Amino acid sequence: MNEFAHLVSRPSRQIDYQTFDNRLLAYVLRYEPSFLTCMSCGGCTATCSAGKLTDFNIRRIGLMLRRGQTDKLAAEIDKCMFCGKCSLVCPRDVNIRNVVLLIKKESTRLHAENQKV
Amino acid sequence: MEKEQKHVAVIGAGIAGLHTANLLAQSGHKVTILEKEKYPGGHLNQWHHLFPDHSSPEWIISGLLDEQLQFDHLKMISSTEITSIEKNNGHFAINAGNELRIYADAVVISTGFKLFDARQKEEYGYGLFKNVITSADLEQSLKSGQPLTTASGKTPSRVAFIHCIGSRDAKCGNTYCSKVCCITGVKQALEISEMLPETEIFCFYMDLRLYGSKFDDLYLQAQKKHKIQFIRGRLSEAAETHDKRLQIKAEDTLSGRPLRMEVDMIVLLAGMEKNEAHQMFSSTKLLELDEHGFFKSKNIQLTRNETTQPGIFIAGTCICPMSVNETIENAGAASILVNRYLEHQQLTNHHE
Amino acid sequence: MQHIETLIKEKLNSDIRFVEGLNACMNCGICTAICPAAEFYDYDPRTMLTIVQSGNLQKIRELLESDTIWYCGQCMSCKTRCPRHNCPGLVISVLRKISQETGAFTQSRMGRQQYLLRKGLGNALLNIGYSLHPSFIKPADHPEQGPVWQWIFENASEIYKTVGANLDEEGPGVLRKIDKEAMTEFRAIFEETGCLELFRLIDQYSSIKALELGITNEANQPDMDQYLHFIENEQETSY
Amino acid sequence: MQTETSKNWSQFNKDIANDHYYYLRSCIRQNFFPGSEVAFLDILRNKLGKTIYDDASHTTCAGIGYHCDIVPFETIQALAARHFSLMTEKGLKHAVVSCVTSFGIYSEILDTWNHFPESLEKTRNALRKSTGREFELPENVVHCSDIVYKFRKEIKDQAKHTLTNTKTGKPLKIVDHIGCHYAKIFPERGVGGAEFPKVLTGMITAWGGETVDYPERRHCCGFGFRHYFVKNNRSYSLSNSKKKFESMEPFQPDAIVTNCPGCNLFLDRWQYTLEQIERKTYGQQGQGIPVLTYEELAGLVLGYDPWKLGLQFHQVEVEPFLDKMGIAYKKGDKYKNLDGKIIGERPMVNELNIV
Amino acid sequence: MNEKLFVIPFVAGMALLFIILIVKGYKWISSLSKIDRLRLINALKSRRILQSAKDIFMECLIHRRIFKKNMVLGYMHMSLAFGWFLLIVVGHLEAFVAEKSLAVPFYLPIFFRFFETGKEFAGSKIFAALMDLLLLFVLSGVVLAWSKRFYKRLFGMRRTTRLQYGDQIAMTALWLIFPLRLLAESATAHQFNNGSFITQTAGSLFFNSNTASTLALPLWAAYSLALGSFFVALPYSRYMHIPTEMLFIIFKNAGIKLKKRTNSFTELAIYSCSRCGICLDNCQLNNAGIKNTQSVYVLKSIRNKNIDDEQLFNCLLCGKCQVDCPVGIDLTSLRITQRIESTLQYNASYAYLENQATTKAGLIYFAGCMTHLTPRIIQSMQHLFELAGEDYWFLDKEKAPCCGRPLMLAGQYDAAAKLIRNNTTQIIASGAKKLVVSCPICYKVFKEDYQLPGVEVLFHAEYILRLMNAGLLKTAPLQKRIIYHDPCELGRGSGMYEIPREVVKNSGQLIRIKNEQEHSLCCGGSLGNLKISQAERNLIRDSAINEYLSYQPEYLVTACPLCKKTFARNRNMVVMDLAELVLEASDEFIKRKKLKGNKVTNIRELETLIQS
């Protein structure tokens, strides 16, 4: 038995701008620059159909994307029902539905790429 | 009846003082402006561009000074600091350095604000780390026309603007909002981005208080065109790394996670504070100050420019933090109240 | 249900540390930014404070029953920076106390550990008047202490002498034995100021929890040794 | 607990009594760095000529129990009151605290009594009822390091060694770790405030060393009280110390000097643990970074024997640092008892520093 | 040297083309699913083959659909296709008659004038005249085609498709074939006098005896080369649609449909596109300056295998393009199929939908996500249900699962199936007999993709009309000029045009407009488009609004919450949903009754009043 088994360095929850993987973000911004203007008002989350049923938070997904927390993001985005209410209420006219589509597209590709490696 | 010429002393030749003085002179009053510095213009002399139109403040100062030339009865005494003011029979005796003593029927105080000393926020390392500068320092740098560089002469690849320095902070005793720093930050971020398009810019804010007309347009432009990123969270500390960059820590409150970042430069958006000059007025019990040390208005809604002492008026940022255009408006309002006061005084004297 | 929440409210408002620790939070996140626990646990002092500030007793109750309040490492770094003079760390102390007084602590893994601390640290205090004694730091439980400690542990009486300590002896000095009179006063203070009452509550709620978990002996009584073993080995689900 | 902090703490000097102290010991320092407390008293009495009363009757402040939440605030107030009562008995007014946690506890209690006089009254009653004791409030409560800081020049005047690398002639690079409860709660109670406390850096520079400011300098060692005492939580403690080591590593410090006994313990032991589980060392040439208490540092400067100071209690080998300082010591004496015999079955081998 | 060899380019090209066509045709047929193959065999055996033959004649040769769209364009296509077809047919007849045999070399009818230089045969003059006439017919088409390149407005088109490499070769060849034929025949005619009114005249105009004899063979060779080039280039150009379309019509008439995955029928549909570009002008994305994502380009990209999401998902899926498609390709389905292919790897997880409470009720109202953004529609619907005394359950009142259609529009059919399954369980469990929806997006999916035995799916217009017919809802037509805007998903999507119009007529004065019913405009808000920006949507919306404004309506009534929301953002018009209009008309009814001296304060009183 490893006597040090209980002693491991814990993973950091900190968003570290020195290390974050911005591939997904860059992809989304390339095809949907309107995402740049998000001001995290939460209007999307407030109206979200999926958000009314579960703790799905589309605003936070946008933030996860902007902060490079792509690990949990791919699974989280799967709860989206694509109804499009978010885009309709967005005060900055961010095409959120396309942001979701782009996340799905690129994270699927990245996942496949990681599988290959 | 022949109108008797009254004498008004205006203390402080910033834009509030200059504008009030001009308007009073135009109304026919004799006006003396007292300025402690060598040149008029106040803080604006150090400023490069104004928000929201990026115009240069020089034209405002020179415009106000040009206007002065048409009034023979307006006089400015610079390099003169007030030592005390006494009130006698409704008139004021103002004592300044150099044995100067001026008598006036009314006094307008337009002594402005003091820029918050960012060294007080030790955790941000201003005065300690060379790449931590204030918004005022940045403005000077922009005014110099030289490209912005880090202390070691490199083009910064990442710059962070930190909002609310010395504002909304009980730790330094200023619990109020300085109001203009948010938009200053956005304006300066835009200017840096224009100058250094490759530079990544972040703004750490608590609330973006972009209250003015066209302010939000700048915000949108900053996001859309310049890809400036806004992170909602107050900076907790800055520290110098081994390669002389700065490590900063904040919470990205919107995602509820602590955040760490290395930047090449930090710009602290220093707020506005009460001027030390205020103490002189309150210690002699001549005027009352509000809880933040600014001059107290007789009525904050109706007569913002009247103090608790009849005959002494206030204009501009000695009342509270204000933007340039608000200051000008405020100075206009002050001159109206002074006029009304002097007219009333004339009538009373006449009846007597 | 209602009763517990009213009790929580009373206890919160009567604790001066709560009054000191929470003025008005404006959600700036300066505390979380610097919080060592926020980095390594799913913990956010700002959110915790917002919940407490909301006054929503049901949510506060959930907090008392959760791991959340036990993550704080009590470094009080939050106190240094808060622009509103709040101290989330101090509020945590209050919440932890209430959690123990209401039994809510047994509802979370980290909370249940209080029984471990009460037994180990609590008994140490009552027995010797110190929080620690070299004999308590058994190398088997403390691999991180390394071989030097193993050497010290095994040869304590000799080694402490080399630096002039007074290990377990009468009179003043390092690690002296605290005399009887002092210990009597010490324990009397613990009784008088409610510490022993707190110990009793921790014991009582923990045995209820043991019963609830079916950790019992042949007589169907809670088996507290086994319970201790259970909470000692209870693993974090994920992080 | 509100403190007006609209000043530059680095310019601020706290009030430290000049003489006639009452000594309050630290649980962790006694257990793990006993030589430091012995040395502190010796320096005060024999090098600085001060009087300090070492009372057999005082107990733990129960601060660890308080921060582990099993000891109520009322209890530690009464325990503190008892210590003040003992001090009053001896006619002393200046408490000197060996432990940073205790120092934080006393500061918090005094501040509470100041802001909430009813709590002082309650404590008086509790103490009276349980022990029949009365007490007076102390005039001055400081941490032991404050005293050493105050007399750093006097110590320098008697120095046998300076903090310079005798081989290169350059100042030794020393990292200071203050301990959270020294000034984070009450910046005005720490020398130089919370952000850039001067209590240790003042000593280091006065004795010829160079201080190192690294990004995570202010970060907690990770003790966390319950996070160390409960075995399953210990990785929290480890992770925080690791964060500090990683941050200080590029600066290649010669030593870490700590203010708080707990921090000293963790910064020492976690280096060993990380070497064991991650095969990573943070010091120079694959060695650990020696971790010293400020008393030990003062003792070395004053020419005390390293093994009398208790440097053999450290897991991370201190010899490289002693060598740099040019201190002559006998390697073999490290493991010897008062009679000059090797303690234990085999001489201690420090596994960390075997390259 | 045998001068006959000049036919080689034609013969070789023709042979190559046939081989390619046979190979492709075999591939397309053989890769059909078993059922589809059976369908095809049945169709070939049954009378449906006659229908197909008729369709092929009408569409491939006459180009009926194009005629309907634009006469000149129709004529151009017809003259080229039908004219050439007749040239071949009549040319063969001529050859058969001349040779008195059916076994003539297959190149002979093509180069008849060259080979038969002096032979008199029965009706040779008539044949020559007929062939000249037909050549003139075709040439008129060629001239039009040339001019279309330079002056497209003549053909009612604002835009034509851009050409690819293969297209350019084939088109150049095609444009040269008939002028060359004219020149070659004219030269021969001048030499041998075997032409008729065109060729003979042109011969004497262009040639003297010298030039005619030296230029004849090169011109015939050039003609053969042009033909050969055209045939070789054809499979790699849009002209592939000529053979493919015939097969496509047969397949379609056999009942073969586009599937959720691409198959040979998809490919057939893609190859059948002639890139005529008619779909381009119908597309409202033009109003937003989006010029490269229209159906014709998407089909081209699919064929070239370089389709990307930016093109694929930038479409309103309004269905306007396919209304006028001369080939009748189901362009919307084709694009959705492609979207399905593009999103096949995506995951979806709606575990959170499980274990929701159901309520027993006779009728279910499902507002849908979009209606939740237009609370006045919900309010109106609830009012209507109360009026009708319905025992109803508002399924998505608090917790709102989506109907699944938006996911389908985004290509994610598997994910949509999960939502459909969840909602189906809920609906069935409630025991409801009727499901009323107020959103056409929901309506389409409930109607087409849900299996809801015993549950009647009603769009609110249908439901309202029933209430009106049953006398449960009394309205007095408002003195308002009303334009009814057909929502895409309801009109072109579900074929419901008249029912909402009936409702409008009962509630006000319906103005008929040019672009309505299947030609109706899209509001621009469509969920089908995932790429378009709001600013672009506004341009589309405004162009529709401007058209409507020219009729000076007072109300713009629609039957879709998304259309309403989209139009309402332009503040120049009062926009309302059918349900809101009906309630206003109902109030009007009450008001009028009241004016007659009766006091009505609630529905019950109104009912008594009506009964009395």
Side-chain angles (χ1 to χ4, degrees), chain A residues 1-10, chain C residues 140-144 235 239, chain D residues 230-236 238 270 273 277:
Chain A
M1 200 192 89
N2 176 10
E3 56 177 349
F4 290 107
H6 64 290
L7 289 170
V8 287
S9 320
R10 299 179 66 91
Chain C
D141 295 334
H142 291 273
E144 76 281 355
Q235 292 297 319
Y239 46 82
Chain D
V230 177
K231 189 175 176 181
N232 266 348
N233 302 347
R234 253 168 237 163
S235 60
Y236 165 84
L238 170 81
W270 292 133
T273 309
I277 60 180

Side-chain angles (χ1 to χ4, degrees), chain C residues 17 39 71 74 77 80-81 96 100 110 113-114 129 134 144-145 158 160 175-176 185 193 232, chain D residues 30-31 58 60 66-69 75 82 133 181 184 195 226-228 232-233 243 269 337:
Chain C
R17 294 174 301 168
E39 180 170 351
Y71 290 139
Q74 290 281 294
S77 302
T80 321
R81 302 271 165 73
R96 286 177 175 180
Q100 294 179 116
M110 296 273 276
Q113 293 170 346
Q114 286 310 99
E144 76 281 355
Q145 290 284 353
E158 252 184 301
Y160 279 89
L175 286 175
R176 78 224 175 269
E185 289 189 9
T193 54
E232 220 165 29
Chain D
Q30 288 177 86
N31 269 270
H58 85 285
T60 175
Y66 173 66
H67 288 297
C68 283
D69 306 283
T75 308
R82 180 175 173 272
R133 287 181 173 277
H181 291 194
K184 280 187 182 174
E195 302 298 347
R226 64 195 314 286
H227 294 312
Y228 180 73
N232 266 348
N233 302 347
K243 187 176 160 138
R269 304 300 201 254
N337 66 13

Side-chain angles (χ1 to χ4, degrees), chain A residues 79-80 95 97-98 104, chain E residues 347 350 352 527 530-531:
Chain A
K79 296 175 185 164
C80 170
N95 188 351
R97 214 158 156 255
N98 190 32
K104 287 206 168 205
Chain E
N347 296 318
Y350 306 120
Y352 56 81
L527 286 177
L530 285 98
K531 296 293 173 184

